[in-house]
Amino acid sequence: MLPRGVISAARAAQVGCKRSGFKLSSVFANTCVSSQTLGNNKQIRWHGDAPGPDAPTVQLTFVNPDDSETKISARVGETLLQSAHRTGVEMEGACEGVCACSTCHVILEQDMYDDLLDKMEDEALSEDEEDMLDMAFGLEQTSRLGCQITVTEGMDGAVISLPKATRNFYVDGHKPTPH
């Protein structure tokens, strides 16, 4: 019988891989092997829950709460939250990307929002994401959670707005540091 922590870690890794939007190839303890097929039928595999530095990139623009803009190179296959944390964009993500808060709330342009919905199962947000968005500050028609959006090649040039504030029910002012 495996120790309790090992089973929990494997389950956490499995959930993290499924959430990322990749095809799940295997799960072992805290490591998942995921893959994504790009438009040119080239398949890229990553170990862990985010693509490595060899992943293709797209240019994104974040509109910050003070209306300044931050342009970043986001890796195809990572979430908007992971991209923001990796590049220093001030997106909170108090739950560290497990869809358990609304602090990675983003507001998308209508076309991008519609494109993402068209590619989703049932063309609708998950119930978990809808529940978390109900708690978001400054909710808009095109609001989503950054931890639930996987960067794709089709997002090149997209503009993503951050709300003026967030509601963090964990600890007021708690901002996790990415690892």
Side-chain angles (χ1 to χ4, degrees):
M1 183 168 166
L2 294 172
R4 181 177 172 181
V6 172
I7 294 168
S8 297
R11 178 70 182 133
Q14 183 179 24
V15 170
C17 290
K18 287 180 181 176
R19 176 184 49 78
S20 69
F22 294 115
K23 180 179 80 180
L24 185 62
S25 301
S26 65
V27 176
F28 182 77
N30 284 325
T31 303
C32 65
V33 178
S34 53
S35 65
Q36 181 178 33
T37 303
L38 303 176
N40 60 4
N41 290 327
K42 179 179 177 186
Q43 190 174 58
I44 296 178
R45 293 171 48 111
W46 294 285
H47 297 271
D49 52 11
D54 60 337
T57 60
V58 296
Q59 300 304 306
L60 300 178
T61 300
F62 282 91
V63 178
N64 300 305
D66 65 1
D67 293 325
S68 65
E69 292 185 352
T70 304
K71 296 183 184 304
I72 68 162
S73 290
R75 295 175 182 158
V76 172
E78 67 187 356
T79 66
L80 287 181
L81 178 62
Q82 290 168 327
S83 293
H85 283 180
R86 185 178 50 76
T87 59
V89 172
E90 289 290 324
M91 187 185 298
E92 192 170 334
C95 74
E96 299 186 31
V98 296
C99 199
C101 73
S102 63
T103 61
C104 66
H105 171 216
V106 295
I107 302 163
L108 307 176
E109 294 176 316
Q110 188 68 53
D111 290 344
M112 183 177 175
Y113 182 85
D114 292 341
D115 287 346
L116 289 171
L117 273 187
D118 289 345
K119 295 173 184 165
M120 295 178 74
E121 187 176 317
D122 300 327
E123 295 184 3
L125 302 182
S126 71
E127 189 173 334
D128 288 341
E129 185 174 3
E130 285 182 350
D131 288 346
M132 292 300 109
L133 282 170
D134 286 342
M135 296 184 285
F137 178 89
L139 193 63
E140 300 281 337
Q141 281 288 66
T142 59
S143 290
R144 292 285 311 271
L145 296 180
C147 68
Q148 298 301 298
I149 300 172
T150 302
V151 175
T152 66
E153 290 178 322
M155 291 181 183
D156 195 31
V159 177
I160 297 128
S161 298
L162 300 175
K164 302 292 182 198
T166 62
R167 288 191 179 123
N168 184 340
F169 295 105
Y170 177 67
V171 173
D172 190 32
H174 170 74
K175 290 187 180 181
T177 50
H179 44 87

